């Protein structure tokens, strides 16, 4: 099923619930309303913005539909517009300027369209336009309006706005009918399969992070190279006007900020929306948002246990209906990721399947990301954003997540496929750049990549795969070298308490990629540290030497000079995992007196989680 087909089908379900607007209307953001007397004189300005936060935020209203403006005389919107049209005032630096041309278009359009009307509110607007001069803005009661903000109108003493009056609604409905009756290109719609007037321009889509705030096109043919067989614009992908309106209305509704069908934060540069093909699909939507987009670090203990039990049950093969009876496991579910691309939108990913399949894939994703002990501030189900920010982004900033990598990772998560090798390389690059491997985030992500890379059947562990917790006999030279590096670092920290920088800060990247050239230096320094420990902490020295002997016995050949000259990418990943496992474990003597190998979690570098 195509993206547009699924969106068009969803429109009918939303319309039944009264959540989308009919043809001829759209949702727009407004800052101000001009209040008019019956003689057309403005008496006050109504501030429509939310003023509770640090910065005023425009509110959304359902108004006569906006459209794409083009040509030398771009038409105005009906009964509302930004101030450059509705008041003849545009922004210029921190001040304002007159925009007489746009105001003339707005004035002429409304005087012609409202001719013969007897409604008091519409007559007041006519009188206002006949008398208003943009040059009077600075001395009028309208001077507090922010230039270029959207403005609507209301009659003094009335609570409804002009576009909500019965006479105005009749004009809007009549315009829709007249427009449909015009001589237009007719063709077969690719969405509905019906013969109908074809949309020349597709609707503006608003709400995608990073895209034009006034909207961007999901479907557009403006360049000559995009056209075929002499077709112009929308005729290249014939979509009926009705279907184009419906998919645009649906997508704009799904993209509502803070809505239940949108992830709060983009994945890379992709704004993610999702929806279930069911009239009561709210439970499926909530499950998807909770398992993929939200983090459990701030949840209370009962909610955390509940979420963990749900994920583990589904990962083990239970159907989602056995865990959440209110969800029909066969409900069709769609996930769409949109990225900005100049004045248009790009589909970063699009997946469609049953909610039962998506739930299993999400559960498997969280299970494959598990590592013991859990990374610093891991929670139960960290979002893809947190995973990428903590392992691939410079300064661990969400804005620095590589956008192409984010899209590939999301496709792998939602399709149950292998994680991209670029995720492994990006994590290793960040470790070489100075990220702290002791937090465990990189080890968890790297292990998940390696596990899925070597697994022939999704969800079925393979013999010899990268272990979840410390496995001393794991037969991988990179893993054992990572363990060895961690033990030598321990020897340094024990011999030199309070040391600000260890061998990890200086040698981790080189040791994981070219061990033969680095480990002789590490071993030489480690012997000096052990000699100091034998005098000051003989018990600790004995434990460390015993661990070194055990690890060296598993590395073939055992001599440091004969270590591999270089490690392939996967083995470098195993090095990071072995380091994390060994660093987080405990050394014990024969009397079961345990000593921590790594420092406490609360002493790790700050910024270990997002």
């Amino acid at each position: 099923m195509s993206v547009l087909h699924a969106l068009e089908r969803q429109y009918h379900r939303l319309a039944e619930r009264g959540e989308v607007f009919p043809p001829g209307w759209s949702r727009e953001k407004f800052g101000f309303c001009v209040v008019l007397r019956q003689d057309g004189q403005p008496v006050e300005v109504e501030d429509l913005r939310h003023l509770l936060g640090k910065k005023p935020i425009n509110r959304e209203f359902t108004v006569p539909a906006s459209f794409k403006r083009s040509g030398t005389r771009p038409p105005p919107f009906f009964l509302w517009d930004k101030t450059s049209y509705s008041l003849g005032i545009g922004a210029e630096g921190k001040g304002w300027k007159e925009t007489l041309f746009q105001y003339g278009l707005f004035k002429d359009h409304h005087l012609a369209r409202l001719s013969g009307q007897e409604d008091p509110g519409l007559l007041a607007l006519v009188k206002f336009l006949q008398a208003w001069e943009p040059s009077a803005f600075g001395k009028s009661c309208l001077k507090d309006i922010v230039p270029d903000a959207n403005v609507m109108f209301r009659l003094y003493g009335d609570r409804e706005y002009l576009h909500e009056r019965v006479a105005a609604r009749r004009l809007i409905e009549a315009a829709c009918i007249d427009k449909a009756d015009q001589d237009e290109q007719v063709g077969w719609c690719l969405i509905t399969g019906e013969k109908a007037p074809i949309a020349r321009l597709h609707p503006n889509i608003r709400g995608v992070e990073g895209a034009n705030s006034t909207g961007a096109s999901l479907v557009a043919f403006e360049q000559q190279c995009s056209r075929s067989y002499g077709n112009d614009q929308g005729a290249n992908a014939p979509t009926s006007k009705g279907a184009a309106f419906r998919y645009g209305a649906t997508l704009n509704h799904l993209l509502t900020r803070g809505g239940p069908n949108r992830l709060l934060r983009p994945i890379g540069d992709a704004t993610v929306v999702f929806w279930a093909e069911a009239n009561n699909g709210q439970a499926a939507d909530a499950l998807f948002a909770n398992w993929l987009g939200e983090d459990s670090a701030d949840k209370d203990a009962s909610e955390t246990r509940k979420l963990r039990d749900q994920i583990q049950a589904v990962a083990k093969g239970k159907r989602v209906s056995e865990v959440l009876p209110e969800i029909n496991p066969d409900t069709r579910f769609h996930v769409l990721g949109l990225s900005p691309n100049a004045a248009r939108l790009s589909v970063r990913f699009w997946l469609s399947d049953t909610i039962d399949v998506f739930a299993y894939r999400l559960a498997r994703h969280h299970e494959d990301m598990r590592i013991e002990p859990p990374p610093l501030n891991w929670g139960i189900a960290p979002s893809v954003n947190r995973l990428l920010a903590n392992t691939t982004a410079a300064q661990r900033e969400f804005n620095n997540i590589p956008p192409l990598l984010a899209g590939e990772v999301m496709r792998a998560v939602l399709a149950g496929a292998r994680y991209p090798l670029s995720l492994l390389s990006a994590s290793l690059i960040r470790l070489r750049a100075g990220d702290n491997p002791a937090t465990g985030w990189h080890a968890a992500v790297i292990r998940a990549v390696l596990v899925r890379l070597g697994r022939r059947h999704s969800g079925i562990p393979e013999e010899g795969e990268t272990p979840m917790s410390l496995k001393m006999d794991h037969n991988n030279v990179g893993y054992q070298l990572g363990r060895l590096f961690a033990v030598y670092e321990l020897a340094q920290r024990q011999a030199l308490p309070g040391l600000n920088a260890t061998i990890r800060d200086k040698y981790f990247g080189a040791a994981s990629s070219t061990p033969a050239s680095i480990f002789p230096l590490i071993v030489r320094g480690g012997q000096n540290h052990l000699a100091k420990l034998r005098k000051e902490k003989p018990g600790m020295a004995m434990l460390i030497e015993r661990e070194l002997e055990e690890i060296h016995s598993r590395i073939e050949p055992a001599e440091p000079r004969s270590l591999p000259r270089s490690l392939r990418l996967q083995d470098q990943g195993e090095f990071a995992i072995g380091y994390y496992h060994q660093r987080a474990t405990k050394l014990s003597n024969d009397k079961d007196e345990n000593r921590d190998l790594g420092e406490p979690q609360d002493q790790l570098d700050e910024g270990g989680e997002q």
Side-chain angles (χ1 to χ4, degrees):
M1 184 182 299
S2 71
V3 176
L4 302 187
H5 189 195
L7 289 169
E8 195 270 344
R9 286 175 48 152
Q10 182 69 2
Y11 175 87
H12 302 287
R13 284 182 285 272
L14 294 174
E16 290 179 3
R17 303 201 295 259
E19 296 182 23
V20 291
F21 41 81
W25 299 83
S26 63
R27 295 285 290 180
E28 309 290 342
K29 293 182 178 180
F30 282 84
F32 304 92
C33 173
V34 175
V35 182
L36 304 174
R37 290 199 312 236
Q38 290 193 3
D39 61 0
Q41 290 297 314
V43 292
E44 64 175 318
V45 172
E46 181 183 352
D47 195 331
L48 304 175
R49 300 172 296 177
H50 293 291
L51 303 175
L52 297 179
K54 295 181 180 179
K55 184 179 179 181
I57 300 175
N58 292 338
R59 293 168 55 198
E60 284 194 347
F61 292 84
T62 301
V63 294
S66 62
F67 44 81
K68 293 181 180 178
R69 302 196 239 228
S70 60
T72 58
R73 294 178 60 85
F77 303 140
F78 186 50
L79 299 179
W80 69 276
D81 215 315
K82 60 181 183 178
T83 60
S84 58
Y85 279 84
S86 56
L87 300 178
I89 299 301
E92 185 176 48
K94 295 184 179 180
W96 56 277
K97 63 178 180 179
E98 296 182 26
T99 53
L100 299 179
F101 177 71
Q102 289 93 327
Y103 176 67
L105 295 175
F106 186 85
K107 177 179 178 179
D108 294 343
H109 175 77
H110 283 79
L111 292 181
R113 192 164 177 182
L114 300 178
S115 176
Q117 291 295 315
E118 299 179 355
D119 180 81
L122 300 182
L123 285 176
L125 178 59
V126 170
K127 294 176 182 178
F128 167 76
L129 295 175
Q130 290 172 338
W132 173 252
E133 292 294 338
S135 59
F137 175 76
K139 298 179 181 179
S140 70
C141 64
L142 309 183
K143 63 181 181 298
D144 292 331
I145 294 178
V146 177
D148 281 346
N150 283 341
V151 170
M152 62 174 69
F153 299 89
R154 177 170 63 84
L155 186 63
Y156 181 74
D158 286 355
R159 299 184 64 181
E160 60 183 2
Y161 302 105
L162 292 192
H163 61 269
E164 296 175 334
R165 301 177 74 88
V166 174
R169 291 181 175 275
R170 288 174 182 166
L171 287 173
I172 296 166
E173 292 173 3
C176 291
I177 296 173
D178 293 342
K179 198 172 183 179
D181 291 338
Q182 291 174 0
D183 184 17
E184 298 169 327
Q185 182 178 357
V186 176
W188 295 101
C189 176
L190 294 177
I191 296 178
T192 64
E194 300 174 350
K195 201 167 187 178
I198 298 301
R200 186 176 69 90
L201 299 176
H202 284 238
N204 271 336
I205 306 302
R206 300 177 181 85
V208 176
E209 294 286 344
N212 195 325
S213 59
T214 60
S217 297
L218 184 59
V219 179
F221 300 88
E222 295 185 8
Q223 300 296 328
Q224 191 67 36
C225 60
S226 301
R227 304 173 185 176
S228 60
Y229 298 100
N231 290 323
D232 185 45
Q233 294 183 321
N236 289 277
T239 304
S240 67
K241 285 192 169 184
F245 168 81
R246 290 191 289 272
Y247 92 70
T250 302
L251 189 49
N252 281 319
H253 172 78
L254 297 174
L255 284 166
T256 301
R257 295 182 186 277
N261 298 95
R262 168 179 173 156
L263 293 187
L264 295 178
R265 188 185 294 274
I267 306 294
D269 68 343
T271 301
V272 182
V273 294
F274 46 89
W275 67 96
E277 282 197 359
N279 290 330
N280 57 346
Q282 291 85 348
D285 295 339
L287 176 143
F288 185 86
N290 197 32
W291 287 20
L292 180 66
E294 294 186 4
D295 292 302
S296 58
D298 297 327
K299 296 180 182 293
D300 60 38
S302 61
E303 289 183 348
T304 299
R305 285 194 300 271
K306 182 178 179 181
L307 180 61
R308 181 187 60 238
D309 294 343
Q310 290 174 351
I311 291 175
Q312 291 178 351
V314 173
K316 291 177 181 178
K318 283 191 176 182
R319 300 200 75 183
V320 68
S321 56
E322 299 179 53
V323 178
L324 297 169
E326 64 272 22
I327 296 178
N328 181 352
D330 297 321
T331 299
R332 197 74 185 173
F333 200 81
H334 307 284
V335 187
L336 173 63
L338 296 174
S339 299
N341 181 15
R344 299 171 185 81
L345 301 176
S346 297
V347 177
R348 184 68 75 188
F349 49 84
W350 162 248
L351 295 103
S352 178
D353 216 312
T354 64
I355 186 60
D356 198 45
V357 170
F358 275 119
Y360 176 75
R361 291 170 180 170
L362 289 175
R364 281 307 326 162
H365 159 70
H366 291 303
E367 285 296 298
D368 288 340
M369 285 285 171
R370 282 182 59 195
I371 195 168
E372 297 296 337
L376 178 67
N377 296 327
W378 180 259
I380 297 299
S383 66
V384 173
N385 256 335
R386 286 184 74 212
L387 289 171
L388 293 176
N390 281 318
T391 57
T392 67
Q395 288 84 47
R396 300 183 180 89
E397 295 288 341
F398 288 108
N399 294 336
N400 294 332
I401 295 174
L404 293 178
L405 175 61
E408 293 174 1
V409 172
M410 274 295 294
R411 276 191 293 271
V413 171
L414 298 175
R418 291 176 175 176
Y419 298 107
L421 278 176
S422 53
L423 177 59
L424 170 60
S425 59
S427 298
L428 292 174
I429 288 172
R430 289 309 312 160
L431 288 176
R432 294 192 196 103
D435 281 8
N436 185 0
T439 62
W441 285 83
H442 303 80
V445 168
I446 290 170
R447 179 186 175 273
V449 175
L450 296 179
V451 164
R452 287 201 179 182
L453 185 64
R455 190 177 286 169
R456 288 170 296 191
H457 304 287
S458 177
I460 302 177
E462 300 280 343
E463 184 177 353
E465 74 177 21
T466 306
M468 181 184 300
S469 57
L470 178 64
K471 185 178 181 182
M472 294 183 178
D473 60 350
H474 180 50
N475 187 24
N476 181 276
V477 65
Y479 185 86
Q480 297 298 339
L481 287 174
R483 293 183 59 207
L484 187 65
F485 189 91
V487 176
Y488 276 119
E489 185 191 17
L490 171 65
Q492 183 187 33
R493 291 204 318 270
Q494 292 292 333
L496 305 171
L499 193 64
N500 291 328
T502 67
I503 58 173
R504 182 192 74 199
D505 303 284
K506 188 174 182 180
Y507 294 124
F508 186 90
S512 64
S513 56
T514 56
S517 60
I518 298 300
F519 265 93
L521 301 176
I522 295 173
V523 171
R524 190 179 307 124
Q527 293 304 318
N528 294 332
H529 299 141
L530 286 172
K532 187 172 186 292
L533 283 177
R534 292 188 194 101
K535 299 175 182 177
E536 300 176 358
K537 302 177 183 179
M540 174 59 70
M542 182 190 67
L543 292 176
I544 292 176
E545 288 176 333
R546 181 187 300 172
E547 199 76 6
L548 289 173
E549 291 174 4
E550 185 270 329
I551 297 173
H552 276 295
S553 68
R554 302 185 186 278
I555 300 176
E556 294 293 341
E559 294 81 6
R561 292 182 181 178
S562 301
L563 292 175
R565 296 183 61 183
S566 62
L567 292 179
R568 62 190 185 122
L569 198 65
Q570 289 92 323
D571 291 335
Q572 292 179 41
E574 294 267 8
F575 183 99
I577 297 169
Y579 171 84
Y580 176 71
H581 281 163
Q582 185 66 44
R583 193 179 191 281
T585 193
K586 296 179 178 180
L587 299 182
S588 61
N589 57 21
D590 295 335
K591 298 180 181 179
D592 293 329
E593 294 176 352
N594 295 333
R595 296 178 184 269
D596 287 328
L597 181 59
E599 67 253 30
Q601 290 281 319
D602 57 2
Q603 295 181 14
L604 293 174
D605 296 353
E606 293 183 0
E609 62 89 20
Q610 283 282 349

